[in-house]
């Protein structure tokens, strides 16, 4: 990112200060190149104020780090504030993959039919998800045509993530390789159906809870909770919201 910034911004706009890892513009604005390797690293930015925060490969960050940095997004001068993040799906890191998928992909386009749509959350903040694959990069395809072949030769898990951008792919043994989001169908759950929850509470691993509705003949899995560090009280409240009985 530092290399790209030096190449992107003209010399007349400002200069990069290597020992501070800061690009300083002539108008006084700064781009800080920093890290969040561990959850406690967020405390480095306690009290800070940023107009813009960018994450490269968001699935490498816990949701706690992301949410904390959102609290640093503010402007006492009235400038627009926003966060942007890039990421590949990361099926080998299921916890982070899951929260990123729910926060962006599922929130904006739960039926997988309307990506790019700007959607507001419960407090009025806007959120967008912009899907893209390697096929959307004509410069890369032109300058390195063998790159596609290399991605195609990867193990199925990495190929689905890096070549096709498949957010639904899981670690081997959890979901069949031929699963695709087109298999997910809209379903109307009738009020007289029974709703059950299956729970595996995690002390070391994340807690997993699936919700199943049945009309007496067919069972449909329609929702899930998959999260680390959730208390029993908080989990119970989430289950109650779905009117399920364990």
């Amino acid at each position: 990112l530092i290399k790209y910034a030096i190449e992107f911004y003209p010399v007349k706009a400002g200069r990069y200060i290597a020992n501070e890892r800061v690009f300083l513009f002539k108008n006084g604005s700064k781009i800080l190149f920093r890290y969040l390797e561990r959850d406690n690293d967020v405390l480095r930015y306690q009290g800070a104020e940023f107009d813009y925060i960018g994450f490269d490969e968001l699935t490498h960050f816990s949701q706690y780090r992301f949410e904390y940095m959102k609290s640093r997004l503010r402007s006492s001068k009235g400038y627009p504030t926003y966060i942007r993040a890039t990421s590949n799906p990361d099926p080998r890191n299921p916890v982070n993959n899951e929260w990123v998928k729910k926060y962006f992909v599922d929130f904006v386009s739960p039926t997988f039919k309307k990506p790019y749509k700007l959607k507001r959350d419960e407090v009025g903040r806007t959120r967008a998800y912009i899907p893209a694959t390697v096929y959307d990069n004509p410069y890369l395809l032109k300058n390195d045509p063998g790159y596609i072949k290399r991605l195609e030769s990867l193990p199925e898990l990495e190929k689905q993530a890096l070549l096709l951008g498949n957010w639904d792919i899981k670690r081997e043994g959890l979901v069949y390789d031929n699963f695709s989001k087109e298999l997910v169908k809209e379903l109307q759950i009738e009020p007289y159906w029974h709703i059950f929850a299956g729970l595996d509470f995690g002390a070391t691993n994340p807690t997993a809870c699936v919700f199943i509705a049945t009309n007496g003949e067919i069972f449909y899995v329609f929702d899930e909770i998959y999260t680390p560090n959730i208390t029993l009280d908080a989990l119970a409240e989430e289950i109650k919201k779905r009117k399920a009985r364990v």
Side-chain angles (χ1 to χ4, degrees), residues 10-220:
V11 175
K12 62 181 179 180
R15 61 191 178 92
Y16 176 67
I17 305 174
N19 63 328
E20 298 180 13
R21 299 193 307 281
V22 171
F23 195 97
L24 177 63
F25 293 89
K26 292 187 176 180
N27 67 356
S29 299
K30 297 178 181 178
I31 297 178
L32 282 65
F33 298 92
R34 296 295 186 262
Y35 67 92
L36 284 174
E37 185 176 359
R38 300 177 179 86
D39 283 354
N40 285 340
D41 289 332
V42 298
L43 300 180
R44 295 172 174 268
Y45 312 109
Q46 191 171 10
E49 177 181 301
F50 300 112
D51 304 326
Y52 165 80
I53 300 174
F55 287 87
D56 187 31
E57 291 296 348
L58 187 57
T59 53
H60 293 182
F61 300 88
S62 68
Q63 187 169 11
Y64 168 77
R65 281 172 251 181
F66 179 77
E67 294 291 346
Y68 185 93
M69 293 308 296
K70 280 168 56 179
S71 73
R72 305 300 88 205
L73 191 69
R74 52 186 177 153
S75 176
S76 57
K77 297 182 180 179
Y79 296 145
T81 58
Y82 54 98
I83 292 178
R84 284 181 178 167
T86 64
S87 188
N88 285 300
D90 190 358
R92 296 196 182 278
N93 189 346
V95 174
N96 288 353
N97 189 84
E98 188 67 15
W99 84 255
V100 173
K101 177 178 179 291
K102 285 186 175 181
Y103 189 88
F104 287 105
V105 184
D106 294 347
F107 177 82
V108 176
S109 182
T111 60
F112 309 106
K113 295 178 181 178
K114 294 182 179 179
Y116 312 105
K117 181 180 180 181
L118 197 64
K119 187 175 180 181
R120 292 187 181 275
D121 65 14
E122 65 278 2
V123 296
R125 295 171 300 193
T126 56
R127 202 180 307 172
Y129 162 60
I130 303 175
T133 70
V134 65
Y135 299 105
D136 296 307
N137 190 336
Y139 299 101
L140 179 59
L141 297 179
K142 177 182 177 181
N143 296 327
D144 189 0
Y147 182 59
I148 295 292
K149 295 297 183 183
R150 293 195 295 274
L151 291 181
E152 290 176 341
S153 65
L154 290 173
E156 187 65 26
L157 199 66
E158 281 73 19
K159 184 173 72 173
Q160 288 285 333
L162 301 179
L163 178 63
L164 303 176
N166 185 354
W167 285 96
D168 293 306
I169 196 69
K170 308 285 186 179
R171 285 185 294 185
E172 290 90 339
L174 298 182
V175 173
Y176 294 109
D177 290 342
N178 62 354
F179 176 82
S180 69
K181 58 191 179 184
E182 286 74 21
L183 297 174
V184 179
K185 306 297 182 182
E186 292 187 16
L187 173 70
Q188 177 65 42
I189 298 177
E190 301 298 340
Y192 56 85
W193 287 14
H194 293 291
I195 298 177
F196 303 88
L199 173 64
D200 182 8
F201 188 78
T204 303
N205 295 319
T207 292
C209 184
V210 295
F211 296 89
I212 302 168
T214 178
N215 59 7
E217 296 180 358
I218 303 175
F219 293 81
Y220 302 91

